[in-house]
Amino acid sequence: MKSHKMLFGLQLAFTLAVCAFLIVPVVLSILAGLTSNYFVGLESGLTLRWVFEVWDGYRDTIFRSIGIALACLLVTLVLGVPTAYVLTRSGSRLSRVVEELLMLPIAVPGLATALALISAYGGMGGFRTSWTFILVGHVLFTLPFMVRSVLAVLASIDLKTLEEGAASLGASFRQRFFDIVLPNCRNGILAGSLMVVTLSIGEFNLTWLLHTPLTKTLPVGLADAYASLRLEIGSAYTLIFLLMIVPLLLAMQAFARPRPRRFISDDPVPESK
């Protein structure tokens, strides 16, 4: 009994130590963005001055990141959901090869993908200097996550039987896709959507090479703030970034939890005497 308590105590201490190792730097960074003088510490007083300065100087990067993330979500939905459906319906060896090829942008370093895009499309002046150039890189990076999320859900249901049953009742392909396929993979679409948005907002490696001075995103602006301005400015920028990304991460965790299924019994409920 004592050995079990000791083992539990050691596990708890190790868990708390890991949490402290991960959380303490974030807390210190947030405090740095809210103190009047980081080197003096909390004794200098709390202020929102640095947050307002970041908002005044960098709000365009925030809105641009949100716009790119939403556009990336739309593109990955249009491309990823039908792709996952085709791969599930096919089930051939070729589909498995295609599925693995879709994972290449994750395995390849982001800088290498960005260099490949610049080599291929860097000569297109208007496209190269547009935010859509960054969007292409983000779609390449996030599309596998959308496909995998939807694939995981579709693979867990008997999709073929459901579609055959709907077809036997006269449902067209469009009706089967929108009334059978999409409702059954809703959880995968929601989980993939949240993942795409969070990854797009926080993506740095690709964006660092693909951006121009007029198309900076939030992570690039954050790096510039830490490199060229006061530490308080960079920390306040981090605080704004966390306020955007943490709710999305919590939502992603909530949607990832399995939903309890409710079963309705066919047996009549006995009448109370």
Side-chain angles (χ1 to χ4, degrees):
M1 188 68 178
K2 291 182 178 180
S3 61
H4 288 296
K5 290 184 177 180
M6 183 179 297
L7 179 60
F8 174 76
L10 291 175
Q11 292 173 339
L12 180 61
F14 177 76
T15 303
L16 293 176
V18 172
C19 291
F21 180 79
L22 296 175
I23 295 175
V24 168
V26 177
V27 174
L28 292 177
S29 179
I30 292 174
L31 289 177
L34 296 175
T35 54
S36 298
N37 190 314
Y38 171 74
F39 298 101
V40 176
L42 292 177
E43 295 178 358
S44 63
L46 297 176
T47 180
L48 292 176
R49 170 190 171 187
W50 313 117
V51 176
F52 290 132
E53 286 195 20
V54 169
W55 181 255
D56 291 336
Y58 289 94
R59 63 174 174 265
D60 60 324
T61 66
I62 297 173
F63 291 129
R64 186 175 296 113
S65 289
I66 295 174
I68 291 176
L70 294 177
C72 183
L73 172 61
L74 178 62
V75 175
T76 53
L77 283 173
V78 173
L79 297 178
V81 176
T83 299
Y85 170 73
V86 172
L87 292 175
T88 303
R89 287 289 290 158
S90 175
S92 63
R93 183 176 299 179
L94 179 60
S95 66
R96 301 283 78 80
V97 173
V98 173
E99 182 181 344
E100 294 304 321
L101 289 176
L102 286 173
M103 300 299 116
L104 280 180
I106 301 176
V108 176
L111 294 177
T113 304
L115 287 174
L117 289 174
I118 293 173
S119 300
Y121 308 110
M124 302 178 181
F127 179 52
R128 175 66 183 89
T129 57
S130 171
W131 64 270
T132 54
F133 194 55
I134 300 175
L135 174 62
V136 171
H138 284 205
V139 169
L140 286 175
F141 177 66
T142 58
L143 182 61
F145 294 95
M146 177 63 75
V147 173
R148 275 293 173 90
S149 297
V150 179
L151 267 175
V153 175
L154 291 179
S156 65
I157 61 176
D158 192 355
L159 183 63
K160 184 177 180 180
T161 301
L162 291 175
E163 285 198 279
E164 288 177 351
S168 66
L169 296 174
S172 63
F173 173 78
R174 179 182 177 278
Q175 290 175 320
R176 296 197 304 271
F177 185 77
F178 286 98
D179 297 336
I180 301 296
V181 178
L182 292 185
N184 277 281
C185 64
R186 179 180 57 186
N187 289 339
I189 293 175
L190 289 173
S193 298
L194 288 166
M195 196 174 298
V196 166
V197 172
T198 53
L199 289 173
S200 178
I201 290 177
E203 214 299 311
F204 176 76
N205 291 333
L206 272 166
T207 314
W208 179 252
L209 283 183
L210 298 181
H211 87 282
T212 66
L214 297 178
T215 57
K216 288 183 180 179
T217 62
L218 194 152
V220 176
L222 177 61
D224 288 349
Y226 272 111
S228 59
L229 299 175
R230 292 186 57 163
L231 182 63
E232 292 89 347
I233 294 288
S235 298
Y237 209 141
T238 302
L239 175 60
I240 294 176
F241 178 80
L242 290 175
L243 290 176
M244 292 176 57
I245 207 72
V246 168
L248 291 174
L249 293 175
L250 294 176
M252 185 167 62
Q253 290 293 330
F255 281 113
R257 293 175 183 173
R259 299 292 193 277
R261 295 184 179 180
R262 297 179 179 179
F263 297 94
I264 300 177
S265 176
D266 294 331
D267 297 333
V269 179
E271 297 181 358
S272 58
K273 297 181 180 180

